[in-house]
């Protein structure tokens, strides 16, 4: 079992605490979760929340000594973690534990010094203050989450859910993450590179969103060559207008978004079928196994064969 320790503290937001407990405690949906989840606190017992009710936590920081993943779901802004907590986090990281900071949880991770010279993601509204407080850290406010392998951080609220689903996907594959997302009635995948804040209103239910229509069309036609001009025509736009509206809508260029869709389609096929890499490359729209391998390695740091071996053993 992969042990997940989730750190709670006085005045914690119940929502931020609920996200990782729900995701890691629900993986497997109807079957057993592959994670052993425990909530802990530096000072266990009764913890207050801003929601009008209190929490009771049984476990203390000793939980961090064996955890494989440690999640810090937000953190009181400007609060300095105690020496005991900082030591516990540094010790856990030194033995190989993965540290995850959701929203302002990046603040506590930055305080350990483990991210000096590296980058952390946090909520856009707190990014400037975090960067001022920890000048050795490169703070990102333009991404949903970032994964350095040993340290994972995210923006706030909904992005924390995206980040936790990303970790499930990394640990157990696309199918497990997609099934969990379906049970939670949320999007199965939003790329970490997607913008946190897109200054374009979401179309109302009565509106016809041409970019969304074009996205649905592209997903249904991944196996075919998708030229930008033809894709823009689906939205009844010029190439230039479509590219601008697409970036406003998603935070990515059409080509970037399409590549992500194709890699994710290939991942799912590798995990759920016995088809050859060549056949999967064609179905996902890469045209050749060489192209699939290139983009798979570039984005995921592994080969299609390596991914299949990890998530489809035997």
């Amino acid at each position: 079992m992969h042990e997940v320790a989730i750190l709670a503290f006085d005045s914690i937001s119940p929502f931020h605490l609920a996200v990782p407990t729900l995701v890691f405690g629900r993986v497997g949906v109807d079957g057993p979760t592959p994670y052993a989840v425990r909530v802990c606190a530096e000072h266990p017992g009764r913890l207050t929340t801003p929601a009008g009710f209190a929490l009771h936590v049984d476990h203390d920081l000793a939980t961090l000594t064996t955890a494989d993943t440690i999640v810090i779901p937000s953190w009181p802004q400007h609060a300095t973690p105690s020496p005991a907590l900082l030591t516990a986090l540094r010790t856990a990281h030194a033995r190989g534990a993965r540290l995850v900071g959701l929203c302002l949880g990046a603040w506590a991770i930055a305080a350990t010094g483990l991210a000096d010279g590296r980058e952390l993601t946090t909520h856009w509204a707190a990014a400037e203050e975090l960067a001022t407080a920890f000048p050795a850290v490169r703070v990102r406010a333009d991404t949903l989450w970032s994964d350095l392998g040993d340290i994972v951080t995210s923006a706030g609220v909904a992005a924390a859910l995206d980040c936790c689903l990303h970790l499930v996907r990394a640990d157990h594959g696309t199918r497990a993450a997609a099934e969990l997302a379906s049970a939670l009635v949320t999007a199965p995948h939003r790329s970490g590179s997607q913008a946190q804040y897109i200054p374009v209103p979401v179309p109302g239910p009565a509106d016809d969103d041409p970019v969304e229509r074009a996205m649905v069309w592209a997903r249904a036609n991944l196996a075919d060559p998708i030229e930008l001009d033809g894709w823009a025509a689906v939205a009844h736009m010029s190439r230039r207008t479509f590219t601008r509206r697409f970036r406003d809508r998603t935070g990515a260029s059409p080509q970037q978004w399409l590549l992500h869709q194709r890699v994710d389609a290939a991942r799912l096929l590798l995990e759920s079928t016995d088809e050859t890499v060549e056949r999967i490359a064609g179905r996902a729209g890469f045209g050749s196994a060489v192209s699939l391998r290139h983009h798979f390695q570039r984005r995921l740091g592994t080969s299609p064969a390596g991914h299949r071996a990890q998530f489809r053993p035997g």
Side-chain angles (χ1 to χ4, degrees):
M1 293 286 284
H2 184 111
E3 294 187 26
V4 177
I6 302 172
L7 183 69
F9 44 84
D10 209 39
S11 298
I12 190 171
S13 160
F15 179 86
H16 284 99
L17 180 61
V19 168
T21 55
L22 177 63
V23 171
F24 296 115
R26 185 73 186 275
V27 177
V29 186
D30 295 325
T33 175
Y35 299 101
V37 181
R38 285 197 294 177
V39 177
C40 64
E42 183 173 0
H43 304 291
R46 185 180 186 274
L47 300 179
T48 63
T49 76
F53 59 86
L55 303 171
H56 185 89
V57 176
D58 292 324
H59 303 290
D60 60 18
L61 293 184
T63 303
L64 307 188
T65 62
T66 59
D68 301 292
T69 294
I70 298 170
V71 183
I72 308 172
S74 196
W75 184 256
Q77 195 168 355
H78 309 302
T80 302
S82 70
L85 177 56
L86 292 175
T87 297
L89 292 174
R90 291 177 184 130
T91 301
H93 179 268
R95 64 169 176 76
R98 177 173 60 187
L99 303 186
V100 180
L102 304 177
C103 193
L104 296 185
W107 197 281
I109 291 178
T112 66
L114 297 171
D116 287 359
R118 308 172 77 190
E119 71 175 38
L120 297 178
T121 295
T122 194
H123 193 291
W124 61 267
E128 185 175 349
E129 290 187 72
L130 181 63
T132 300
F134 301 99
V137 177
R138 297 193 301 273
V139 179
R140 299 290 301 273
D142 58 339
T143 55
L144 293 181
W145 48 263
S146 61
D147 186 347
L148 305 179
D150 57 326
I151 294 176
V152 184
T153 49
S154 81
V157 195
L161 183 56
D162 293 313
C163 182
C164 290
L165 284 171
H166 157 70
L167 293 174
V168 172
R169 186 180 304 105
D171 292 344
H172 299 288
T174 301
R175 169 170 283 188
E179 289 177 351
L180 178 58
S182 178
L184 298 177
V185 196
T186 190
H189 177 56
R190 288 199 297 166
S191 171
S193 61
Q194 183 168 323
Q196 286 188 34
Y197 176 70
I198 301 171
V200 174
V202 176
D207 294 335
D208 178 23
D209 180 2
V211 173
E212 179 65 26
R213 185 172 66 245
M215 292 164 71
V216 171
W217 177 85
R219 290 192 189 100
N221 293 276
L222 287 178
D224 301 326
I226 298 178
E227 299 295 336
L228 188 56
D229 287 332
W231 195 7
V234 174
H236 304 295
M237 296 179 187
S238 69
R239 176 190 183 115
R240 182 176 180 179
T241 299
F242 178 67
T243 299
R244 176 176 54 79
R245 292 278 299 276
F246 197 99
R247 186 177 290 279
D248 288 343
R249 177 75 166 75
T250 68
S253 72
Q255 294 89 341
Q256 289 170 330
W257 180 90
L258 184 60
L259 179 59
H260 290 165
Q261 301 304 306
R262 285 179 161 151
V263 171
D264 284 341
R267 286 207 291 189
L268 182 57
L269 290 169
L270 287 164
E271 295 168 17
S272 60
T273 76
D274 293 318
E275 294 187 2
T276 65
V277 172
E278 289 74 15
R279 171 65 177 159
I280 289 173
R283 289 184 61 183
F286 285 102
S288 70
V290 172
S291 179
L292 171 58
R293 291 187 181 99
H294 169 75
H295 289 293
F296 217 83
Q297 182 71 43
R298 185 174 182 180
R299 184 177 173 205
L300 302 178
T302 187
S303 66
H307 185 82
R308 171 171 272 169
Q310 180 179 0
F311 293 112
R312 196 174 167 79

